[in-house]
Amino acid sequence: MRWRTRSLNAPSPIQQFGPCGRIMKNSAMVMQIQDPASQRLTWYKPPLTVLVIKKVHDATILVPFVQLVHWLVHDKSMVVFVEAAVLDDTLLKEYGDFSSVRERLMTFRAGTDDLTDKIDFIICLGGDGTLLHASSLFQQSVPPVMAFHLGSLGFLTPFEFNNFQDQVMNVLEGHAALTLRSRLQCVVLRKTTEDGKDKKKPTTILVLNEVVVDRGPSPYLSNIDLFLDGKHITSVQGDGLIVSTPTGSTAYAVAAGASMIHPSVPAIMVTPICPHSLSFRPIVVPAGVELKIALSPDARNAMWVSFDGRNRQALQHGDSLYVTTSVYPVPSICAQDQISDWFDSLGECLHWNVRKKQKQIDELSDLTHSSSDTLEELDANNHEERPSDT
């Protein structure tokens, strides 16, 4: 039997209903999560190592990057990790201050070196892609992430870099709210031959935004079967399907017509891509369910799947994709708090509900009076110009 995880991030409900009824207890129950608004960062020992992730090939981030690592190494005596590709940037040679810290930096290569239990917290310099990259580096427990807005959109990067020293100090001292951004655990199971000789090991990938299934280069519609906890829900005929986290609801999903969900809401969003049906609307399902996606038996072509825009691969007849909520969220550090950060991002990045203000009653009255005066003047002028009867 294949092992799976269940997760339900919500306040624990009362489990007794009236004098006689109550919830039947079983091993799969998860009902002991604190109120998300009370989730705050604390350190049980002082953080000593920090991973700095910067947007690659962006010259505008070099100055903030050099300032940050110089301060962390010399002023805070911290061990700083960076990707080896970052130090390969030839433009860094132009910064004399960087040569004094370059030899003291620890390097690693993504996909080769394991960072598990080596990093105390993460600082991202760039756009939303840097946070997605940080998530991909840790396929189990993720250290707290502090993201500075130095990219294009910046929906997931709430911190401004101007006074970075004070803001990082607040985090190091444990004065910060957290948003636990749930991730999706995606397991790809390949079809095995009848003799069982060509059995392939399942592939497991954790995503922060979404997993996307589409028709790839084929000119035909996708024909995909969708199951929820083993029950066939529907067949998708269209360009594809987006399965997203609440964090990912403001990414590809919202562009495909889905609702925007606060990242603390325990849910999985299922959004069709250009469905050939007028009634196929996006749906939200509980975070604890397991989704299975597979090609319909009569599908004309393979389906293609990508994970946070990466690791794109084809799924053939007999292959299956299982998706559920992971027990390893991304602890994103808030600049203010969970509510303020999210609504600020909606307004500043997506211009949510931006329109001109409706005029007040007294302003409308002034306009009405002026319009009435103008009409009376026109009537008077018309009366004077009218020829008299003789």
Side-chain angles (χ1 to χ4, degrees):
M1 180 177 180
R2 192 174 56 82
W3 179 81
R4 56 166 288 204
T5 61
R6 291 179 183 268
S7 175
L8 183 61
N9 301 319
S12 179
I14 300 298
Q15 299 182 24
Q16 185 162 339
F17 315 114
C20 299
R22 63 175 293 113
I23 294 178
M24 179 184 294
K25 293 185 178 181
N26 61 74
S27 59
M29 286 179 61
V30 181
M31 290 189 175
Q32 61 275 5
I33 297 296
Q34 66 185 119
D35 180 5
S38 67
Q39 293 167 351
R40 300 191 63 84
L41 176 64
T42 185
W43 307 102
Y44 60 87
K45 62 180 180 178
L48 299 176
T49 59
V50 55
L51 168 62
V52 178
I53 297 177
K54 68 173 287 291
K55 188 177 181 181
V56 183
H57 306 307
D58 189 341
T60 62
I61 301 181
L62 291 179
V63 172
F65 172 72
V66 172
Q67 291 176 347
L68 175 65
V69 296
H70 190 279
W71 180 76
L72 290 170
V73 171
H74 289 296
D75 292 28
K76 305 309 298 178
S77 301
M78 301 193 73
V79 178
V80 178
F81 282 75
V82 297
E83 287 191 78
V86 171
L87 299 185
D88 294 337
D89 194 335
T90 56
L91 293 176
L92 281 174
K93 297 179 181 179
E94 300 177 6
Y95 297 90
D97 292 344
F98 186 67
S99 59
S100 62
V101 298
R102 184 186 183 100
E103 300 302 323
R104 298 178 62 178
L105 299 179
M106 304 292 291
T107 61
F108 73 97
R109 295 192 180 277
T112 303
D113 299 324
D114 186 11
L115 295 177
T116 304
D117 298 329
K118 294 181 180 179
I119 305 299
D120 292 330
F121 81 108
I122 304 170
I123 296 179
C124 294
L125 303 177
D128 295 345
T130 58
L131 188 63
L132 294 174
H133 182 53
S135 170
S136 69
L137 294 175
F138 297 87
Q139 290 295 293
Q140 292 186 2
S141 178
V142 185
V145 183
M146 184 180 189
F148 285 94
H149 176 33
L150 293 169
S152 302
L153 187 62
F155 195 92
L156 305 178
T157 54
F159 288 93
E160 298 294 335
F161 193 76
N162 299 333
N163 58 337
F164 74 91
Q165 297 94 337
D166 294 338
Q167 297 182 91
V168 175
M169 279 303 301
N170 282 335
V171 173
L172 294 177
E173 294 170 358
H175 306 312
L178 283 177
T179 295
L180 297 183
R181 298 185 179 276
S182 62
R183 295 193 289 178
L184 297 177
Q185 176 181 279
C186 307
V187 180
V188 177
L189 294 181
R190 298 291 182 177
K191 180 183 179 182
T192 58
T193 57
E194 294 182 0
D195 55 12
K197 293 182 179 180
D198 192 23
K199 188 174 182 180
K200 297 181 179 179
K201 185 178 179 181
T203 302
T204 301
I205 301 175
L206 268 60
V207 300
L208 178 59
N209 265 355
E210 73 274 307
V211 53
V212 177
V213 180
D214 59 59
R215 60 190 175 98
S218 172
Y220 297 111
L221 288 173
S222 293
N223 197 342
I224 304 167
D225 285 339
L226 177 64
F227 300 83
L228 191 151
D229 282 344
K231 177 180 175 60
H232 181 261
I233 299 301
T234 189
S235 294
V236 182
Q237 297 185 88
D239 280 355
L241 194 67
I242 306 168
V243 181
S244 59
T245 64
T247 295
S249 70
T250 51
Y252 192 0
V254 75
S259 296
M260 297 179 289
I261 303 178
H262 189 278
S264 294
V265 175
I268 298 175
M269 174 166 281
V270 180
T271 307
I273 306 172
C274 299
H276 201 248
S277 167
L278 297 178
S279 60
F280 197 166
R281 305 301 302 157
I283 60 173
V284 178
V285 298
V289 304
E290 180 183 61
L291 298 174
K292 175 187 172 184
I293 300 170
L295 275 173
S296 296
D298 53 351
R300 297 184 179 183
N301 51 286
M303 61 182 181
W304 288 75
V305 58
S306 59
F307 308 89
D308 275 347
R310 301 184 178 188
N311 301 311
R312 187 165 172 81
Q313 53 194 277
L315 298 182
Q316 306 292 340
H317 283 284
D319 297 339
S320 301
L321 171 65
Y322 292 86
V323 182
T324 190
T325 302
S326 169
V327 295
Y328 298 109
V330 174
S332 180
I333 299 173
C334 302
Q336 302 175 71
D337 56 67
Q338 291 185 349
I339 301 301
S340 299
D341 281 10
W342 194 66
F343 279 98
D344 285 350
S345 293
L346 286 183
E348 294 173 10
C349 301
L350 300 182
H351 301 288
W352 177 66
N353 196 28
V354 174
R355 73 179 296 273
K356 288 185 176 181
K357 291 289 185 181
Q358 189 178 45
K359 293 183 180 297
Q360 296 180 358
I361 295 297
D362 54 350
E363 294 177 352
L364 291 174
S365 299
D366 294 340
L367 289 174
T368 303
H369 291 318
S370 62
S371 299
S372 300
D373 295 341
T374 303
L375 289 173
E376 291 175 359
E377 292 175 2
L378 288 173
D379 289 341
N381 292 335
N382 290 335
H383 182 73
E384 292 175 358
E385 295 174 1
R386 190 178 300 165
S388 58
D389 296 334
T390 56

